[in-house]
Amino acid sequence: MDTVSSGRAACSTGGRTKKKEITKPMELPEPSVTEPTPLAEPTPPAAISRPAVSALITGVSGQDGSYLAEFLLAQHYTVHGLIRRCSHVPTERIEHLLNHPRFHLHYGDLTDPQNLYEVLRKVERLDGRPPREIYNLAAQSHVHVSFVMPYYTAQVDALGQLSLLNAVKELQWIPHTRVYFAGTSEMFGSSPPPQNEQTPFHPRSPYAVAKLYAYWITVNYREAYGLFAVNGILFNHESPRRHVSFVTRKITRAVGQLQRGELDVLRLGNLNAKRDWGHSRDYVRAMWLMLQQETPRDLVLGMGESHTVREFVVKAFACAGVHLRFRGTGVDEIAEDCATGRVLVRVDPRYFRPSEVENLQADPTLARQVLDWTPEYSFDDLVREMVQHDLHVSHHDY
Ligand code: NAP
Ligand code: G4F
């Protein structure tokens, strides 16, 4: 799979460049991270000018977490982010926010319920009240990796949500706090498209099975305890901040690498898989909208159109002025530059999955009605932005 074959560890910090790792370790600004030893004690709640609204984001260092933090800060929220303690502090996507006066990071891990509970208490102490919104975006989010690490994936993606919901309940925050859970179109798995809120689930990976547990435990806490908790069932969304182990960013990064002579050929798995790809910026806005509704409701969010991986490849290369011609079938399929005949893309079975999700296409009718949500980015806009970014930035691997 991508993370392994590129010589990097399978953990989500693995995609970052060596250059960054060997330079002086990045230091988090002291006041922004809660550490085990007492820091300069934060201003007591009574003395601070109370923020109107505060939110906690788990997975704040990820693609969606970083865009959501930006979005909420722009809406004048105080934003608390849960961040993992790694040997390499994973703040590349949120570096520009680290000195923001309303942005606070707390070390934590979804696999540690006690820690999660303590972080929540700390957030309450800092703000003088519970956060109004919690967005649980943290996950082992790579489908292929979930086949290699199914137990770990279940701990983070399934039990992590249980720990979070339970902490909210134990802290008696249910009347005050709304919870968003990052569900996924992967839960539909082999159910034929278009998929909407009525479509039966048929997960095809340990990742999707774990997310399905989290989906149902969220429904259960809503029904059993009256918690305002919702599942966003989101189809694929991408951006220049997407990790390079996902197919879109792998492709757009390769367009730049091939042009700069840093790569010989792009090796991909299933070119026939279809996905409904949108832009992460549009989707984090929808997450927020879901928590602003009068009643909690699980919703499908997607563009309503799907494209094969092959189509994404063609469009991405075309954005860089390279026109491809495909030849052959199955593992012998290749794509060559029409102008030069150079082979630029090959199929590599190492990227095939033990069980695949072949066709995802959202029917987002309900969400568009309920949330009045219209994506600002088209599929073409998305591909263009990602390619432009990767043509000009060779070192930002995230
Ligand atoms: P991502 O870029 O992979 O980010 C995942 C985040 O979770 C990172 O901040 C990561 O921290 C954190 N994390 C991983 N394991 C953790 C743990 N044990 N404890 C605490 N934090 C942990 O994912 P994304 O694309 O932003 O997606 C956000 C969420 O939406 C995920 O739950 C994903 O499964 C779900 N989702 C995504 C899509 C999509 O197309 N993007 C679609 C549907 C659902 P590090 O930085 O330390 O690795
Ligand atoms: O980019 P992908 O790895 O994303 P996938 O599996 O659809 O999962 C993403 O979207 C989900 C929402 O539907 C999220 F829940 C999940 O967290 C993640 O964000 O793969 C997309 C498709 C697959 O069919 C895969 O088999 O592309 C195919 N593919 C073909 N070649 C490849 C490759 N995928 C990857 N990662 N690498 C390849 O070389």
Side-chain angles (χ1 to χ4, degrees):
M1 84 199 49
D2 312 319
T3 42
V4 173
S5 66
S6 59
R8 294 176 180 125
C11 87
S12 53
T13 53
R16 295 174 189 110
T17 55
K18 277 252 182 300
K19 195 166 158 249
K20 277 215 153 182
E21 281 163 21
I22 55 173
T23 51
K24 183 174 176 286
M26 193 183 329
E27 286 165 17
L28 292 173
E30 280 280 304
S32 296
V33 182
T34 57
E35 295 191 1
T37 46
L39 287 173
E41 196 45 37
T43 318
I48 56 175
S49 60
R50 292 267 174 84
V53 183
S54 84
L56 169 68
I57 305 175
T58 74
V60 74
S61 57
Q63 172 189 252
D64 292 0
S66 63
Y67 284 120
L68 181 63
E70 278 170 19
F71 176 82
L72 294 177
L73 288 168
Q75 308 279 328
H76 306 290
Y77 279 61
T78 289
V79 175
H80 296 271
L82 187 82
I83 193 156
R84 285 198 283 185
R85 162 69 185 107
C86 304
S87 63
H88 174 100
V89 182
T91 49
E92 285 95 333
R93 296 183 181 98
I94 49 172
E95 248 172 73
H96 57 298
L97 304 177
L98 292 179
N99 290 319
H100 194 292
R102 282 182 280 109
F103 187 60
H104 310 283
L105 293 177
H106 309 273
Y107 285 126
D109 199 302
L110 276 200
T111 59
D112 181 343
Q114 182 62 30
N115 153 265
L116 216 46
Y117 183 84
E118 294 301 334
V119 169
L120 264 55
R121 277 185 4 136
K122 178 115 195 183
V123 167
E124 183 175 28
R125 197 152 55 80
L126 285 173
D127 289 349
R129 62 180 149 203
R132 190 176 83 178
E133 296 163 16
I134 298 180
Y135 297 86
N136 184 16
L137 309 185
Q140 189 304 94
S141 69
H142 202 282
V143 173
H144 203 170
V145 170
S146 79
F147 288 98
V148 182
M149 305 173 73
Y151 284 87
Y152 176 71
T153 302
Q155 279 161 16
V156 183
D157 297 8
L159 297 182
Q161 173 68 354
L162 173 61
S163 304
L164 189 69
L165 293 169
N166 212 45
V168 169
K169 174 173 164 281
E170 291 301 308
L171 287 163
Q172 303 187 343
W173 285 6
I174 285 179
H176 312 289
T177 302
R178 299 178 168 202
V179 178
Y180 172 89
F181 175 67
T184 164
S185 52
E186 281 290 307
M187 300 185 303
F188 295 125
S190 56
S191 274
Q195 293 101 355
N196 64 23
E197 292 78 5
Q198 308 307 319
T199 304
F201 295 123
H202 187 143
R204 298 267 291 165
S205 64
Y207 167 79
V209 173
K211 285 281 186 178
L212 203 47
Y213 173 87
Y215 169 94
W216 281 116
I217 201 69
T218 303
V219 172
N220 181 246
Y221 270 62
R222 183 167 74 217
E223 293 176 354
Y225 306 115
L227 175 64
F228 191 115
V230 294
N231 291 292
I233 307 175
L234 270 54
F235 284 62
N236 299 49
H237 44 278
E238 321 289 315
S239 73
R241 295 185 194 170
R242 189 62 143 150
H243 190 266
V244 294
S245 61
F246 296 96
V247 76
T248 53
R249 185 78 203 293
K250 182 173 171 180
I251 295 164
T252 62
R253 185 179 67 149
V255 170
Q257 288 175 318
L258 285 159
Q259 199 171 78
R260 292 187 296 273
E262 295 166 7
L263 188 72
D264 291 334
V265 68
L266 167 61
R267 295 179 188 281
L268 293 171
N270 182 4
L271 298 176
N272 297 316
K274 285 181 149 186
R275 290 293 183 273
D276 179 329
W277 282 296
H279 196 296
S280 173
R281 273 190 201 282
D282 280 324
Y283 288 63
V284 301
R285 194 173 73 253
M287 294 175 192
W288 175 77
L289 283 169
M290 285 183 71
L291 291 192
Q292 312 313 310
Q293 302 306 303
E294 264 183 31
T295 47
R297 197 163 185 177
D298 304 326
L299 292 172
V300 159
L301 292 162
M303 302 292 285
E305 60 178 67
S306 66
H307 304 269
T308 60
V309 172
R310 190 184 293 97
E311 283 168 43
F312 193 104
V313 170
V314 168
K315 203 166 275 291
F317 278 86
C319 286
V322 177
H323 299 283
L324 293 179
R325 177 173 50 221
F326 280 85
R327 282 198 292 119
T329 54
V331 292
D332 296 324
E333 186 169 359
I334 57 158
E336 57 193 18
D337 184 338
C338 288
T340 64
R342 179 182 166 197
V343 175
L344 296 176
V345 183
R346 288 188 186 282
V347 172
D348 187 333
R350 280 181 304 165
Y351 301 111
F352 292 164
R353 294 170 182 187
S355 47
E356 173 66 291
V357 172
E358 292 292 349
N359 197 348
L360 291 175
Q361 182 179 328
D363 165 13
T365 312
L366 185 61
R368 294 203 178 181
Q369 279 167 8
V370 171
L371 305 179
D372 195 20
W373 174 73
T374 312
E376 287 174 3
Y377 289 81
S378 67
F379 176 65
D380 285 4
D381 295 336
L382 170 72
V383 182
R384 201 177 311 114
E385 185 185 305
M386 291 179 72
V387 172
Q388 285 305 319
H389 176 272
D390 282 327
L391 284 176
H392 297 115
V393 184
S394 61
H395 58 279
H396 242 164
D397 275 1
Y398 290 121

